[in-house]
């Protein structure tokens, strides 16, 4: 049963680590913008959130739905089928593509100003996963194996995680005329579940004609997991598990260079989680060679194939050994560097550079314009290039009473995805309510 849950989480992770939020980053009327920079100065004296702030982010750098749909053909029976040969020819992956999905909710958040200081407290639930992939399996299925060559079928990188964050934040104005604001947030993390690949090396070597095209398959796989077994024991035990602890920190600063020009920089989610409760590590290291068929045996009818033995031998390559050794995972660290220029009393233009890290830096950039109307309304529009996607138009707005009361906001980094999801490589939505004073 454990393997079923492990496979289930792997599938969820692959269909779905760090989430950029360019539009939110420009909107200082909502407390949630502190998720991208803890030095953000909010316009309200206090803000309270009670399980009413939600964020969903889905991204696929390699293809979109329309690219897949274009490879569908009608067969002789009139049925729609995916043409794998056409797909393999037109997919055009670059070897660094990945699938990503994340969701978070602020279960509780409080932020308040005291003089030049601002304090905050948040309890946030995070679920996120990212998997790097290639088209090696697809090309093998379509083109077959080439004699005298080795095909790599592994190399898939996966990291899926569910954790809870308890954060305490602080920022303060310093220097003459309060030009510099520095801020930070320290976080205690409670890991609930994780699946992470360390090695996924699977190779298939095909011999040439002199060795009867013998096929040798090898595996070297290490997958770490934690919390998966607890799903079998019931939701309550899983959700209340606090044994897998970790710590993190967010750092940020903003500088008012002149009345019109300001800059900000931040690094968020710098930290780790130590997984020691409910840990199962899966290791597979094996080799099997199918020696091929001798032509003489084939023609004189003496050839026989023990299918059961063949299947058992192949299965043994991927037979997993289990251990319970503790391990650590890092948080999906993100960095923002931005400039803001006030083009009119209530209108600000911005430019931002973003980077996250998973086996290498992945970069993005955005241009934006933000319009302010007191403390009751703020709207922002952005254009971003990220994840090999160049049609990301972001829109966001905040609507409140102007003083104390309920504040509603809705923000997306790709409004075109809502209008035409088939052409989108990225969907990003944050929405919710705050009570502000």
């Amino acid at each position: 049963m454990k393997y079923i849950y492990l496979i289930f989480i792997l599938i969820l992770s692959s269909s779905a680590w760090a989430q950029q939020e360019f539009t939110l980053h420009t909107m200082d009327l909502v407390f949630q913008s502190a998720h991208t920079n803890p030095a953000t100065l909010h316009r309200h004296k206090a803000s309270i959130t009670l399980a009413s702030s939600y964020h969903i982010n889905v991204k696929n750098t390699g293809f979109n739905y329309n690219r897949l749909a274009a490879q569908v053909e009608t067969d002789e029976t009139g049925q729609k089928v995916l043409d794998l040969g056409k797909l393999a020819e037109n997919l055009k992956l670059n070897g660094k593509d990945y699938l990503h999905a994340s969701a978070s909710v602020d279960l509780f958040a409080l932020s308040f100003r005291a003089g030049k200081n601002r304090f905050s407290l948040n309890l946030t639930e995070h679920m996120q996963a990212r998997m790097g992939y290639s088209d090696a399996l697809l090309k093998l299925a379509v083109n077959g194996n080439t004699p005298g060559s080795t095909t790599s079928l592994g190399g898939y990188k996966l990291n899926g995680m569910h954790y809870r964050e308890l954060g305490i934040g602080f920022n303060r104005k310093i220097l003459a005329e309060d030009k510099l604001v520095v801020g930070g947030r320290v976080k205690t993390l409670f890991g609930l579940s994780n699946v992470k690949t360390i090695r996924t090396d699977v190779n298939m070597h095909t011999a040439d004609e002199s060795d009867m095209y013998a096929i040798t398959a090898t595996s070297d796989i290490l997958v770490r997991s934690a919390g998966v077994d607890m799903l079998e024991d019931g939701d309550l035990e899983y959700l209340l598990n606090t044994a897998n602890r970790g710590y993190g920190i967010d750092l940020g600063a903003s500088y008012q260079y002149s009345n019109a020009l300001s800059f900000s920089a931040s690094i968020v989610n710098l930290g780790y989680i130590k997984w020691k409760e409910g840990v199962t590590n899966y290791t597979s290291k094996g080799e099997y060679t199918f020696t091929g068929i001798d032509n003489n045996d084939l023609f004189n009818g003496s050839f026989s194939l023990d299918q059961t033995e063949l299947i058992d031998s192949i299965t043994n390559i991927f037979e997993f050994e289990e251990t319970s050794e503790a391990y650590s995972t890092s948080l999906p660290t993100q960095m923002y560097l931005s400039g803001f220029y006030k083009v009119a009393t209530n209108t600000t233009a911005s430019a931002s550079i973003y980077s996250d890290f998973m086996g290498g830096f992945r970069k993005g950039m955005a241009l934006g314009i933000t319009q302010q109307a007191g403390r009751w309304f703020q709207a922002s529009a952005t254009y971003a290039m990220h994840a090999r996607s160049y049609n990301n138009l972001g829109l966001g707005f905040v609507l409140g009473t102007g003083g104390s009361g309920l504040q509603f906001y809705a923000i997306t980094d790709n409004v075109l995805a809502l209008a035409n999801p088939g052409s989108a490589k990225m969907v990003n939505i944050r929405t919710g309510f705050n009570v502000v004073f």
Side-chain angles (χ1 to χ4, degrees), residues 297-334:
D297 291 340
L298 182 63
F299 289 126
N300 63 27
S302 62
F303 167 74
S304 64
L305 178 64
D306 189 333
Q307 294 184 358
T308 301
E309 181 180 354
L310 175 62
I311 293 173
D312 288 344
S313 298
I314 295 175
T315 302
N316 287 338
I317 300 175
F318 301 103
E319 182 177 0
F320 289 95
E321 296 181 0
E322 300 181 12
T323 64
S324 56
E325 180 183 0
Y327 65 98
S328 297
T329 57
S330 59
L331 292 184
T333 303
Q334 303 130 62

Side-chain angles (χ1 to χ4, degrees), residues 293-407:
I293 304 171
D294 187 281
N295 289 337
N296 293 328
D297 291 340
L298 182 63
F299 289 126
N300 63 27
S302 62
F303 167 74
S304 64
L305 178 64
D306 189 333
Q307 294 184 358
T308 301
E309 181 180 354
L310 175 62
I311 293 173
D312 288 344
S313 298
I314 295 175
T315 302
N316 287 338
I317 300 175
F318 301 103
E319 182 177 0
F320 289 95
E321 296 181 0
E322 300 181 12
T323 64
S324 56
E325 180 183 0
Y327 65 98
S328 297
T329 57
S330 59
L331 292 184
T333 303
Q334 303 130 62
M335 290 168 284
Y336 292 86
L337 181 63
S338 303
F340 302 88
Y341 185 80
K342 186 174 291 188
V343 296
T345 302
N346 294 312
T347 307
T348 303
S350 62
S352 299
I353 299 174
Y354 165 90
S355 184
D356 63 58
F357 183 82
M358 183 190 173
F361 284 100
R362 304 178 189 274
K363 303 176 181 65
M365 66 171 295
L367 302 174
I369 190 79
T370 302
Q371 182 66 39
Q372 186 78 30
R375 295 195 302 169
W376 69 274
F377 180 78
Q378 187 178 57
S380 184
T382 59
Y383 168 73
M385 294 179 289
H386 189 257
R388 295 175 61 196
S389 179
Y390 306 98
N391 61 343
N392 304 302
L393 177 62
L395 290 176
F397 72 89
V398 186
L399 183 62
T401 60
S404 301
L406 196 63
Q407 179 191 70

Side-chain angles (χ1 to χ4, degrees), residues 89-103:
E89 181 180 352
N90 297 323
L91 199 54
K92 302 186 185 304
L93 302 183
N94 68 358
K96 297 180 180 181
D97 292 292
Y98 63 90
L99 292 162
H100 159 87
S102 62

Side-chain angles (χ1 to χ4, degrees), residues 167-182:
I168 299 176
F170 171 81
N171 67 38
R172 177 178 173 82
K173 300 176 182 178
I174 60 175
L175 297 186
E177 301 179 355
D178 299 332
K179 286 191 172 185
L180 178 64
V181 181
V182 293

Side-chain angles (χ1 to χ4, degrees), residues 31 35 49 104-110 119-126 162-170 184-192 239 241-242 244-250 269-273 331:
F31 160 76
H35 290 319
T49 305
S104 64
V105 55
D106 287 325
L107 301 174
F108 174 78
L110 169 65
F119 302 88
S120 65
L121 175 69
N122 71 283
L123 181 64
T124 305
E125 203 83 2
H126 295 277
H162 178 196
Y163 70 98
R164 189 169 297 129
E165 170 193 318
L166 177 61
I168 299 176
F170 171 81
R185 182 185 295 106
V186 292
K187 302 183 285 190
T188 300
L189 310 172
F190 306 94
L192 300 177
L239 292 173
N241 176 33
T242 60
N244 299 311
R245 294 284 186 91
Y247 302 94
I249 189 170
D250 301 341
N269 275 341
L270 187 63
Y272 72 96
I273 297 177
L331 292 184

